[in-house]
Amino acid sequence: GAQQDSGALMLPSRTISSDGIAMPQFHEIRPGGENGMIAPDPRDPNRVYGGHVRRLDLRTQQTRAVDPTLAYPGIDRATWTLPLVFSPKDPRRLYFANQRLYETRDGGGHWARISPDLTRADPPIPPNLDPATIADNLGSGPRRGVIYSIAPSRTDADELWVGTDDGRVWRSRDDGKHWRNVTPPGLGAWSKIAAIDASHFDAQTAYVAVDRHRLDDDRPYIYRTHDGGKSWKLIVAGIGAEDFVNVVREDDHRPGLLYAGTEHGVYVSFDDGDHWQSLRLNLPVTSVRDIDVHGEDLVIATHGRGFWILDDAAPLRQLTPAVAAANAWLFRPAPAIRLRMPDFIGTPMPAEEPKAKNPPDGAYIDYFLRHAAPTPITLTIRDAHGALVRRWSSADAAAKPDLATIDFAPEWAPAQARLSAAAGAHRFVWNFRYPPPAGLGAQDAVWAPPGSYRAILRVGGERLSRPLRILADPRVHLDAAAFAAQFRLATRIDRLRGEVAGARRELHGVRAALLAARSHHGEAGRAGLDASLAKVAALEGGVPPVNPANDYGFPPTSIDSLEFLGSSLQALFAAVDDADAAPSADELTGWRRLEPIAVRVLSAERSFVDHDLPAANRARRAAE
């Protein structure tokens, strides 16, 4: 988890919104660093552009100034954060602006100036400024504006939208050769075009967020055009009267799904901005300055330099009147990426150490219940062939770490997912694992391989089914056959580990009973009990401890023993299943050598319990 100063941890939960539909919650990370625009190169992840403008090479850590104004000496205006944006249609094109717009196609080696000064020539002085402020801020001349927002089209590489901080909106359809003023009517000077978002789906559609708080006007302003800026509509119904808007973004999957960042939080619209509702959830009241729809996640940046992430916003994309009217609904899960966390970075920090937590790892399964279910509900995962993978019920008892099967502090154990039958919307997280063998911890279960699965929710007599896709770590290059071979071997080892663990538990119980009985019998009886105890010790493979309560974990004395098999199979299982890789030659050889030993020892243990022990008991009773 990332360090943060607030100690706030926000994870997906059952928060119910005003309309009865619950959403996942935000969680926060807090990076350091100074303000400024950052633009990672879409073509080269090792290049990052930022500042005034500089290019950072993450491989060498060298920073080079590639300022767009080097070839254009002059008096350039600036503001706290000047825009720096790559074209989504042509990743070679990087744009930067002061009062003019610049473009580079070679990583900053050459910049072309592709616009004139697009700000107002002589904006009037705002009536709310006092004389001292006017003298301090406007003494150098009347012209103060800059281009504050750049929105390259997502449908046409040559189309550009820009907005100034003095109330101008411009559009070019030929990469800056010609510009048309498309400012919404009535938008006066000192109206900052805080953000423009060009539609993902329609070249003629754009959304504009306007900030007028410098004029003591805290009202929200969001404008929408569907005809390339010829006409605009103000779309702010539902946004607080004093929540001036800093940013508006369109979802890249669902047309008409919009997000707005205001001075007091986040809003969402499902009808292209005609109506808005709060998406604050667990957020504090904070100024939201930017929003990014990143894959399935919604990321916001606050004025306090904090980032908050709404993990897996897929339910937002699927909300319809049909969902709101349903008695039960299972949302289609977003594809889940199976990631392995590094295990070589030391032990987890103590619980009292301030830290932020990561969201839970696994496949997010969201469902909605209009009313509390009168009978237990169930969730089932099946593989592509229909075979059962996992099953949970809302009637399941809360799982607690078994202290006898874990070798770490229980507070470090991952949280166990619970299936809720309460009214509202819920998120259940499957950790990609099959059920562990009886007696072994959840961390010992086999990972489900990447592929196609199906989630099935049963509520009363209703069966809801949705496809679920597990994706491999994109950094791992392994074909499906290798994943399948790994899964087959891990499953066979895990099955045998479960049988060995069961035999160990059985013999531990037998040994405890024999020791308890020994004190109640005479010499002849004790001799028979000692003989049985010796056979138990031989099968277990170690010297029984002095303290009978310490009934596991003593060093094995023979390979034909359960203790040897337990530790050896655990080591082999960890080697096979702990990384995304096909089984190695040594792992396959180890399995071929361990399996017959296990069959032999398990058969001997079964024969002892079913035949030798009853015969010894009969002989002992006869001797007494």
Side-chain angles (χ1 to χ4, degrees):
Q3 292 284 349
Q4 63 175 345
D5 57 12
S6 67
L9 164 64
M10 311 303 171
L11 294 178
S13 70
R14 300 191 316 230
T15 305
I16 308 299
S17 71
S18 59
D19 61 356
I21 300 294
M23 298 303 151
Q25 289 188 328
F26 288 91
H27 75 277
E28 181 189 20
I29 59 174
R30 282 183 176 267
E34 63 184 66
N35 289 350
M37 300 297 291
I38 298 296
D41 192 326
R43 298 168 301 157
D44 185 354
N46 290 299
R47 280 186 171 184
V48 179
Y49 297 80
H52 291 270
V53 174
R54 295 185 294 269
R55 185 179 67 214
L56 168 65
D57 189 324
L58 294 175
R59 291 164 294 202
T60 64
Q61 296 299 306
Q62 292 189 23
T63 302
R64 182 179 182 183
V66 290
D67 196 307
T69 64
L70 291 175
Y72 302 92
I75 300 176
D76 297 309
R77 299 191 289 274
T79 188
W80 194 257
T81 51
L82 290 172
L84 188 65
V85 180
F86 274 100
S87 166
K89 287 295 291 182
D90 183 356
R92 298 173 304 161
R93 305 187 193 188
L94 175 63
Y95 299 96
F96 170 85
N98 41 45
Q99 67 266 37
R100 303 176 183 88
L101 187 66
Y102 299 82
E103 176 188 345
T104 181
R105 302 191 185 191
D106 60 4
H110 167 67
W111 291 86
R113 183 186 283 175
I114 61 170
S115 87
D117 188 335
L118 295 178
T119 63
R120 293 177 185 263
D122 190 14
I125 297 174
N128 59 315
L129 292 188
D130 58 79
T133 304
I134 293 173
D136 284 344
N137 289 276
L138 303 179
S140 61
R143 196 155 187 173
R144 302 286 297 177
V146 296
I147 296 172
Y148 195 81
S149 55
I150 308 171
S153 170
R154 294 185 171 98
T155 60
D156 185 342
D158 288 336
E159 186 164 316
L160 296 165
W161 300 77
V162 300
T164 70
D165 66 352
D166 61 358
R168 287 282 194 245
V169 179
W170 298 84
R171 186 188 188 197
S172 172
R173 308 197 68 178
D174 53 12
D175 198 34
K177 294 181 177 66
H178 302 88
W179 290 91
R180 181 165 63 93
N181 187 340
V182 293
T183 305
L187 202 60
W190 294 78
S191 299
K192 181 170 70 176
I193 308 303
I196 304 177
D197 203 46
S199 174
H200 293 79
F201 311 101
D202 176 21
Q204 296 294 93
T205 296
Y207 306 89
V208 173
V210 182
D211 167 14
R212 287 173 51 88
H213 85 276
R214 295 180 299 176
L215 298 171
D216 289 338
D217 181 1
D218 289 346
R219 290 174 295 180
Y221 292 92
I222 300 176
Y223 291 92
R224 178 188 69 204
T225 180
H226 286 316
D227 55 14
K230 295 177 182 177
S231 65
W232 295 88
K233 181 179 180 180
L234 183 66
I235 49 170
V236 293
I239 299 179
E242 296 184 350
D243 283 5
F244 65 84
V245 183
N246 297 307
V247 61
V248 61
R249 297 286 183 231
E250 181 188 49
D251 189 85
D252 60 357
H253 281 58
R254 173 176 169 176
L257 177 57
L258 306 180
Y259 309 100
T262 76
E263 194 63 11
H264 299 126
V266 187
Y267 288 82
V268 62
S269 171
F270 298 97
D271 55 8
D272 205 30
D274 289 339
H275 302 88
W276 295 86
Q277 58 181 297
S278 173
L279 191 60
R280 178 180 166 189
L281 302 175
N282 60 304
L283 282 174
V285 176
T286 186
S287 174
V288 176
R289 297 300 180 92
D290 204 356
I291 297 175
D292 184 41
V293 181
H294 183 76
E296 304 298 333
D297 302 334
L298 186 68
V299 185
I300 67 172
T302 73
H303 187 48
R305 300 183 185 178
F307 293 93
W308 293 73
I309 302 173
L310 184 64
D311 292 286
D312 190 2
L316 289 173
R317 294 168 172 165
Q318 299 174 46
L319 280 179
T320 63
V323 177
N327 288 322
W329 192 271
L330 178 63
F331 293 93
R332 184 185 179 102
I337 299 177
R338 199 185 76 165
L339 298 174
R340 297 180 184 271
M341 302 307 293
D343 60 359
F344 54 83
I345 55 175
T347 57
M349 287 185 291
E352 65 273 11
E353 186 76 19
K355 59 184 180 295
K357 293 182 181 178
N358 287 316
D361 292 323
Y364 294 174
I365 301 172
D366 296 289
Y367 61 98
F368 168 65
L369 305 177
R370 174 160 296 282
H371 308 288
T375 57
I377 68 172
T378 62
L379 176 65
T380 303
I381 305 293
R382 293 189 177 274
D383 66 16
H385 304 289
L388 179 65
V389 176
R390 290 296 297 265
R391 182 184 182 277
W392 301 270
S393 168
S394 59
D396 293 341
K400 294 183 178 180
D402 184 354
L403 300 182
T405 63
I406 62 176
D407 54 2
F408 50 82
E411 59 266 25
W412 292 347
Q416 300 298 313
R418 295 290 308 280
L419 193 67
S420 175
H426 308 274
R427 165 162 290 180
F428 185 88
V429 182
W430 173 39
N431 64 358
F432 302 128
R433 292 187 182 273
Y434 275 67
L440 298 179
Q443 71 276 8
D444 293 312
V446 177
W447 278 54
S452 297
Y453 296 82
R454 183 161 288 274
I456 303 168
L457 182 70
R458 293 185 181 272
V459 181
E462 192 170 2
R463 180 183 183 273
L464 304 170
S465 177
R466 298 287 184 268
L468 169 63
R469 183 76 177 165
I470 298 180
L471 305 179
D473 187 329
R475 300 165 298 183
V476 173
H477 303 288
L478 197 66
D479 59 29
F483 275 116
Q486 180 189 40
F487 174 72
R488 284 194 301 270
L489 181 56
T491 300
R492 296 179 71 184
I493 298 171
D494 211 37
R495 176 188 55 77
L496 201 54
R497 290 172 66 232
E499 294 180 21
V500 169
R504 291 173 69 187
R505 288 195 305 275
E506 187 172 46
L507 286 187
H508 294 165
V510 168
R511 176 157 48 83
L514 292 173
L515 289 171
R518 196 176 184 279
S519 61
H520 298 94
H521 293 280
E523 182 176 348
R526 285 195 296 272
L529 291 169
D530 287 344
S532 294
L533 282 168
K535 290 185 178 181
V536 169
L539 286 169
E540 288 182 324
V543 178
V546 175
N547 180 4
N550 184 18
D551 61 354
Y552 69 95
F554 42 86
T557 57
S558 166
I559 64 171
D560 282 301
S561 67
L562 295 173
E563 292 299 327
F564 169 79
L565 287 169
S567 59
S568 298
L569 288 170
Q570 167 62 30
L572 183 60
F573 177 80
V576 170
D577 201 54
D578 276 4
D580 294 338
S584 69
D586 281 2
E587 290 165 0
L588 292 169
T589 299
W591 167 248
R592 287 194 295 268
R593 291 175 176 171
L594 279 175
E595 185 183 28
I597 299 174
V599 171
R600 185 166 64 243
V601 173
L602 289 171
S603 177
E605 189 270 345
R606 190 77 266 139
S607 178
F608 168 73
V609 172
D610 291 345
H611 304 290
D612 298 356
L613 189 60
N617 286 335
R618 290 193 297 270
R620 174 175 51 77
R621 286 193 294 269
E624 291 179 341

